[in-house]
Amino acid sequence: MLPTTLRHSLLALCFATFIPCASASVDIPFWHSMEGELGTEVDSLAQRFNQTHSQYHISPVYKGNYSQSLASGIAAIRAGHAPALLQVYEVGTATMMASHAIVPVWQLFEQTKIPLDEQQFVPSIVSYYSDAKTGHMVAEPFNSSTPVLYFNKEAFKRAGLDPNKAPSTWQELEADAIALKKAGQACSYSSGWQGWIQLEEFSAWNGLPVATANNGFDSTDARLLFNGPLQVQHIEQLARMKNAGTFSYLGRTDEPTKAFYSGDCAMITASSGSLADIKHAAKFDYGVAPMPYQQGTPHAPQNAIIGGASLWVTKGQTPEVYQGVAEFLKFLTQPDIAAEWHQKTGYLPVTTAAYQLSQQQGFYRRNPEAETAIKQMLNKAPLPYTKGLRLGNMPQIRAIVDEELESVWTGKKTAKAALDSAVERGNQQLQRFHQQVN
């Protein structure tokens, strides 16, 4: 790789004289959190873009899990050497929007004069990453997901359960978990990302708000609400299952995915984006079903809210870099590219054209499990408080939730005491964020 100053000088000469200069390609660092099969797909996307856009070179760099990548990105921004593109998980959205370190995507496309139709994105996805004041995108949706239920059909058969019938309610899941345990299954059920799935998504799927101000979309002065009776009842049920040996707590992030495809766990709730690794590694017949809902709840099931991450553009880059970033972001929205990413990973199709192309190609007829995630998103029109979360300091709040839920799993606290404490501590984080940005 040429030194930066020399590379930029050569690039300027090429642009001025219209001489093709392959060696003068503009390097564009792209920090992300995709590992395993997902990381392989990210590398493939970058390579294909680089081959067709020789004046630019997207350089993907894995920076650890979502929280680690965000921390690395913030540190790099403060130090003045930020990557051009940074993948940030959905709960970092409010923090990134409030920062002065990003170039909103809609401004990037205006400045580079590269057209990008914001209407092409699935409305419930793009609204999450749009500024309420302008109505325009501040980040580009990339790997959007919802949680789904993965279940081992062969383990179901051994337990005398119908392998083609996943539990649709939490009551049914507990009954199935008991049958699996009796059949000798070491881990009947586990869950990744417990705060996201067991509180945030549980609330939305059951038609409940997570916070006031429509989950923070209407104001930064929001307060948490996930310690209501239904949420407490749900955590009490999981605690009961933990004590009975039918729920296994394996960690705060995606640890259950490996336990599932190895055959140790018979059921897990995890990101739809885990499908790529499961499809690659599982040596048994498995199914993918919607999240369970709480039986008897009036609005349930309502709609899932998106997880996953989006791509953010940082300030302080050269015009040439911004031109390349815009070209790459446009490349990712091409119907064939967006559809392929969706089909290979399990993440949602983020554009309507990618969804329609996948349907036209017969992808869902051959792989019906791949449509589960987007069907959850579109299950019902979102309520004002089930279209997502826009809460400041949400990564810190999730860490608090993890601590409090772990105190339930170890028997140190009741579900109510833990959720009350999580809400109280979380509200302090929200208040701190509100004071910082107002």
Side-chain angles (χ1 to χ4, degrees), residues 317-331:
Q317 311 297 330
T318 66
E320 297 83 8
V321 166
Y322 284 135
Q323 199 74 27
V325 169
E327 291 284 4
F328 182 58
L329 293 180
K330 182 181 179 182
F331 167 82

Side-chain angles (χ1 to χ4, degrees), residues 142 242 296:
F142 178 50
K242 175 73 168 55

Side-chain angles (χ1 to χ4, degrees), residues 25-257:
S25 60
V26 178
D27 188 53
I28 301 173
F30 169 24
W31 289 8
H32 66 85
S33 297
M34 304 282 92
E35 60 180 334
E37 291 299 307
L38 298 175
T40 300
E41 291 304 321
V42 167
D43 290 342
S44 175
L45 287 174
Q47 290 169 8
R48 290 165 64 184
F49 174 82
N50 294 340
Q51 289 167 0
T52 56
H53 299 74
S54 58
Q55 66 272 46
Y56 307 112
H57 188 274
I58 300 293
S59 299
V61 181
Y62 174 70
K63 298 298 288 187
N65 64 34
Y66 284 138
S67 58
Q68 292 168 337
S69 179
L70 178 58
S72 295
I74 291 173
I77 288 169
R78 289 172 176 167
H81 53 78
L85 265 180
L86 179 64
Q87 183 191 36
V88 177
Y89 61 157
E90 88 285 9
V91 293
T93 300
T95 299
M96 294 298 289
M97 288 181 70
S99 77
H100 300 289
I102 60 105
V103 177
V105 163
W106 70 270
Q107 286 186 6
L108 174 76
F109 282 97
E110 273 195 358
Q111 292 168 5
T112 57
K113 301 189 183 330
I114 295 176
L116 184 72
D117 180 13
E118 296 182 47
Q119 301 302 313
Q120 69 183 306
F121 293 95
V122 175
S124 55
I125 295 177
V126 72
S127 64
Y128 195 102
Y129 300 111
S130 296
D131 182 358
K133 294 179 181 178
T134 66
H136 290 304
M137 287 167 34
V138 291
E140 179 165 298
F142 178 50
N143 58 309
S144 296
S145 64
T146 68
V148 293
L149 176 70
Y150 297 97
F151 63 103
N152 184 328
K153 292 187 174 184
E154 294 175 15
F156 268 46
K157 288 179 184 177
R158 290 192 295 269
L161 300 170
D162 185 345
N164 297 311
K165 185 180 183 302
S168 58
T169 67
W170 283 103
Q171 291 82 355
E172 291 175 359
L173 184 143
E174 183 174 9
D176 287 353
I178 291 171
L180 288 161
K181 184 176 186 295
K182 287 180 179 178
Q185 187 73 39
C187 167
S188 296
Y189 167 71
S190 186
S191 180
W193 304 101
Q194 56 182 351
W196 174 44
I197 296 175
Q198 304 301 342
L199 286 177
E200 298 164 32
E201 292 286 354
F202 174 88
S203 297
W205 195 230
N206 286 280
L208 299 171
V210 174
T212 61
N214 288 327
N215 289 353
F217 271 77
D218 295 348
S219 168
T220 58
D221 192 19
R223 293 296 180 269
L224 299 171
L225 296 171
F226 55 67
N227 59 338
L230 196 65
Q231 291 97 331
V232 170
Q233 177 188 336
H234 176 58
I235 300 305
E236 285 175 343
Q237 179 183 12
L238 290 177
R240 181 175 66 247
M241 291 176 63
K242 175 73 168 55
N243 292 335
T246 54
F247 165 56
S248 300
Y249 175 63
L250 301 179
R252 294 183 175 187
T253 59
D254 201 32
E255 294 87 351
T257 296

Side-chain angles (χ1 to χ4, degrees), residues 192-428:
W193 304 101
Q194 56 182 351
W196 174 44
I197 296 175
Q198 304 301 342
L199 286 177
E200 298 164 32
E201 292 286 354
F202 174 88
S203 297
W205 195 230
N206 286 280
L208 299 171
V210 174
T212 61
N214 288 327
N215 289 353
F217 271 77
D218 295 348
S219 168
T220 58
D221 192 19
R223 293 296 180 269
L224 299 171
L225 296 171
F226 55 67
N227 59 338
L230 196 65
Q231 291 97 331
V232 170
Q233 177 188 336
H234 176 58
I235 300 305
E236 285 175 343
Q237 179 183 12
L238 290 177
R240 181 175 66 247
M241 291 176 63
K242 175 73 168 55
N243 292 335
T246 54
F247 165 56
S248 300
Y249 175 63
L250 301 179
R252 294 183 175 187
T253 59
D254 201 32
E255 294 87 351
T257 296
K258 293 180 181 178
F260 178 76
Y261 64 62
S262 70
D264 292 340
C265 284
M267 297 185 291
I268 64 168
T269 40
S271 168
S272 60
S274 297
L275 183 59
D277 283 335
I278 290 172
K279 186 182 295 186
H280 175 76
K283 307 303 181 188
F284 53 82
D285 192 15
Y286 62 88
V288 183
M291 292 179 288
Y293 61 91
Q294 203 69 25
Q295 186 175 326
T297 305
H299 295 290
Q302 171 58 40
N303 67 280
I305 55 179
I306 63 167
S310 60
L311 303 182
W312 296 77
V313 183
T314 63
K315 284 185 176 179
Q317 311 297 330
T318 66
E320 297 83 8
V321 166
Y322 284 135
Q323 199 74 27
V325 169
E327 291 284 4
F328 182 58
L329 293 180
K330 182 181 179 182
F331 167 82
L332 293 177
T333 67
Q334 292 176 193
D336 58 330
I337 297 297
E340 181 182 323
W341 168 254
H342 154 60
Q343 292 175 20
K344 287 188 173 182
T345 64
Y347 285 112
L348 301 173
V350 297
T351 68
T352 303
Y355 187 30
Q356 292 172 342
L357 180 59
S358 296
Q359 291 173 319
Q360 293 164 7
Q361 293 172 338
F363 177 68
Y364 303 122
R365 289 195 301 274
R366 300 188 303 273
N367 305 275
E369 73 281 356
E371 199 172 12
T372 302
I374 188 129
K375 280 184 173 180
Q376 288 184 145
M377 284 283 299
L378 304 176
N379 185 60
K380 290 178 182 174
L383 302 167
Y385 48 82
T386 67
K387 61 183 180 180
L389 304 178
R390 185 71 61 79
L391 300 172
N393 288 341
M394 195 61 195
Q396 294 90 325
I397 293 172
R398 275 205 182 156
I400 290 169
V401 168
D402 281 331
E403 291 175 9
E404 295 293 347
L405 289 180
E406 285 167 351
S407 74
V408 177
W409 313 145
T410 57
K412 294 178 181 178
K413 286 187 178 182
T414 65
K416 187 175 190 316
L419 293 186
D420 286 348
S421 178
V423 164
E424 181 182 356
R425 295 170 63 194
N427 282 339
Q428 293 172 2

